[in-house]
């Protein structure tokens, strides 16, 4: 656990603060006491939870104590505890970075607890924004508006200028400029600047003496109690030097212009397009063939009401370069535009800065949007750090705590909860801190009624792959639980019916968990998996074959979408083949008509299948008998009839009669054979 530093030379105050902190639940072993500033500097750089500091120490005055403490523990929340109740001193320390200011003699346990919780939360928020500053890919620094001393610098700026952080913080704004630009800087700083402004392009100096151009965007703010400005210095050295070369040889470097990624065009004195590069066509979605020779204001009439119009006329009339940013509605883009006067017109260079603008707005609105989203729900959302302190929470969370304890958030302590409940939640959080992402259902009894909540626990990982916190999401599932209980109760009434059949009958909920099942289903599953299924358990085991799992999951989803259907399956068990028919039917609730589950019915249709196959075989044999009767029998009968017509009845002794009678005999024998064959096939059908 990280320590808590208490800087206090008065023993009585030290003992008082120590005892109150212990009463608030902090272990005495975490409390580190410093009575001099030298002891403080010996601990500089230590990762601590909190610092409580007096301002006047034996070896340090009130003017410098706080500055040394801030420098020693830059990432820790700091609460000033002093005997002075001067408002001016309090305001000064808060501006310098203190999270709170407490006056000795007015401190009690409740006030101290509230101050500590607020201080930790404020510092956490400050550190988050500091990380956004330090890790921003754009070079950024903050300087004192009065002394021009650098107060903070991010990694991108250090890499751009070539200084270490300590070296940078020893410099002023003058040290990164050449002497011939100092006067321009001082005149620029004398102007009354708005909170945010584009300061234009400046030439800066790197540590190794290299000169380069930067685009400066500045924002006025207070930093550690000092009036300051935050500057974004975008390296545009290559772009500016390219622009300078283009300005001198614009008519001779068409190939260079076409290779540029940024848009460029020229107009004559009548504002007619004389040159357009490929990037222009891409950014503004217009072909040069449509524009060359036409006036700017005819092809882009909306620009007349924007800065484009005034800037172009100023560049021509005053013979000055004009830089500006404006939004062009027709293409829905922000453009950064630079206009240069030529002897016969203008050269205009612009880049699409829409993403930069949107990124800046996103940083500003993200926090507000997030707050609006999580507070526009009755579900409870919160997150904690590794010390089980609240990082953030929505209004529903705080309302829940007030409802449970009857206290304001800052007054709540672990003692306000039953020990078993408190220990259970610590166990929930511990699982998530160990990297487990899971859900659980919590039961709550209020006013004699039982309510259920489904709570998701999700680890929060840092860039090093460490869990630094847990985010939690709780939703009320009481209605779902009660509906399931109703279904289960109804199912009990059907037990006597559905258990009195060999067919498999079961039902599942929307999460594919078993609601109820008859005895035949339970016996079948027990035979397959070694144990009978229980309500609430998944009906699909992860151990089954992927294809089987996918097939049944698809069937359940079809039914959950409202479809009623039936499937047949051929099952090979040992040497036997059996057939089963399964019907899927959606289950609807009684009120809103919502699908809450699926009922399933499986029956053995092997005998039906075999009977159908026998019928098919008999039908084939009957067809064969009919064919024998219609072809072979008819053929022999026709032969006999034909031969009988040839008999010479007038002369019975005619030798031809003998031949005819022999033919009749042969046909009769053949007919007898066919009849026997038909009889044999008929007996086979009867079997």
């Amino acid at each position: 656990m990280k320590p808590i530093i208490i800087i206090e030379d008065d023993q009585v105050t030290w003992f008082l603060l120590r005892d109150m902190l212990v009463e608030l639940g902090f272990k005495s072993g975490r409390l580190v006491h410093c009575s001099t500033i030298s002891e403080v500097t010996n601990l500089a750089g230590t990762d601590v939870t909190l610092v409580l500091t007096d301002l006047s120490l034996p070896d340090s005055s009130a003017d410098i104590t706080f500055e040394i403490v801030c420098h020693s523990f830059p990432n820790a929340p700091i609460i000033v505890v002093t005997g002075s109740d001067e408002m001016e001193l309090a305001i000064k320390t808060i501006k310098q970075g203190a999270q709170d200011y407490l006056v000795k003699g007015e401190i009690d346990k409740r006030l101290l607890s509230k101050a500590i919780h607020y201080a930790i939360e404020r510092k956490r928020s400050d550190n988050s924004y500091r990380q956004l500053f330090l890790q921003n890919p754009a070079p950024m620094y903050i300087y004192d508006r009065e002394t021009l001393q650098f107060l903070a610098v991010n990694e991108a700026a250090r890499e751009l200028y070539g200084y270490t952080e300590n070296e940078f913080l020893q410099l002023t704004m003058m040290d990164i400029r050449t002497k011939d630009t100092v006067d321009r800087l001082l005149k620029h700083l004398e102007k009354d600047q708005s909170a945010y402004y584009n300061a234009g392009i400046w030439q800066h100096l790197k540590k190794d003496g290299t000169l380069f151009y930067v685009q400066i965007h500045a924002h006025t703010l207070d930093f550690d109690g000092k009036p300051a400005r935050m500057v974004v210095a975008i390296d545009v050295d290559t772009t500016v030097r390219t622009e300078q070369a283009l300005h001198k040889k614009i008519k001779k470097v068409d190939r260079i212009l076409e290779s540029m990624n940024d848009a460029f065009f020229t107009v004559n004195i009548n504002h007619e397009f004389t040159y357009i590069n490929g990037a222009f066509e891409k950014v503004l979605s217009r072909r040069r063939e449509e524009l060359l020779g036409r006036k700017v204001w005819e092809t882009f009439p909306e620009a007349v009401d924007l800065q484009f119009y005034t800037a172009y006329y100023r560049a021509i009339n005053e013979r000055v370069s004009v830089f500006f940013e404006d939004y062009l509605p027709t293409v829905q883009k922000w453009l950064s535009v630079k206009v240069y006067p030529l002897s016969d017109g203008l050269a205009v260079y612009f880049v699409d800065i829409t993403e930069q603008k949107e990124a800046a707005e996103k940083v500003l609105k993200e926090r507000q949007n997030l707050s609006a989203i999580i507070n526009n729900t009755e579900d409870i959302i919160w997150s904690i750090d590794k010390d089980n302190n609240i990082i953030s929470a929505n209004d529903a969370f705080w309302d829940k705590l007030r409802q449970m304890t009857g206290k304001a958030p800052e007054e709540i302590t672990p003692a306000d909860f039953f020990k078993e409940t408190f220990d259970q939640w610590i166990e929930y959080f511990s699982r998530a801190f160990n990297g487990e992402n899971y859900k659980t259902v919590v039961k709550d009894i209020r006013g004699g009624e039982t309510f259920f909540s489904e709570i998701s626990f999700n680890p929060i990982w840092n860039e090093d792959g460490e869990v630094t916190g847990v985010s939690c999401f709780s939703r009320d599932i009481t209605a779902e639980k009660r509906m399931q209980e109703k279904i289960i109760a109804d199912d009990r009434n059907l037990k006597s019916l559905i258990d009195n059949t060999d067919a498999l009958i079961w039902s599942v909920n929307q999460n594919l968990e078993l609601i109820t099942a008859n005895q035949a289903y339970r016996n079948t599953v027990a035979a397959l998996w070694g144990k009978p299924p229980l309500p609430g358990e998944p009906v699909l085991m992860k151990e089954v074959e992927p294809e089987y799992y996918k097939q049944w999951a698809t069937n359940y989803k079809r039914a959950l979408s409202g479809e009623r259907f039936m499937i047949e399956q051929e099952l090979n068990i040992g040497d036997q083949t059996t057939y089963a028919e399964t019907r899927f039917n959606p289950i609807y609730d009684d009120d809103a008509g919502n699908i809450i589950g699926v009922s399933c019915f499986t029956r053995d249709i092997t005998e039906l299948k075999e009977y159908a196959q026998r019928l098919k075989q008999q039908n084939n044999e009957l067809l064969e008998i009919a064919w024998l009767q219609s072809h072979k029998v008819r053929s022999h009968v026709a032969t006999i009839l034909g031969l009988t017509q040839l008999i010479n009845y007038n002369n019975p002794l005619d030798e031809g009669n003998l031949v005819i009678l022999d033919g009749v005999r042969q046909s009769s024998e053949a007919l007898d054979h066919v009849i026997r064959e038909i009889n044999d096939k008929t007996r086979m059908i009867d079997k």
Side-chain angles (χ1 to χ4, degrees), residues 212-229:
F212 68 109
Y213 291 93
V214 289
Q215 176 78 44
I216 299 297
H217 297 269
H219 182 72
T220 302
L221 49 77
D222 287 332
F223 184 81
D224 288 344
K226 300 176 182 178
R229 280 197 181 96

Side-chain angles (χ1 to χ4, degrees), residues 2-7 26 30 46-53 66 69-70 72-81 93-94 96-101 112 114-127 385 387 389:
K2 295 186 289 185
I4 296 176
I5 307 297
I6 303 175
I7 306 169
F26 296 99
R30 293 177 58 194
T46 303
D47 189 12
V48 302
T49 298
L50 175 71
V51 176
L52 298 171
T53 182
F66 186 79
V69 172
C70 285
S72 300
F73 310 104
N75 296 321
I78 300 173
I79 299 176
V80 174
V81 181
T93 55
I94 294 297
Q96 288 178 329
Q99 274 64 55
D100 211 336
Y101 183 98
L112 183 60
K114 178 179 178 181
I116 290 174
H117 282 86
Y118 283 4
I120 291 174
E121 184 59 31
R122 291 189 188 105
K123 190 62 179 180
R124 183 179 291 108
S125 178
D126 290 344
N127 286 341
D385 63 17
D387 295 325
N389 297 316

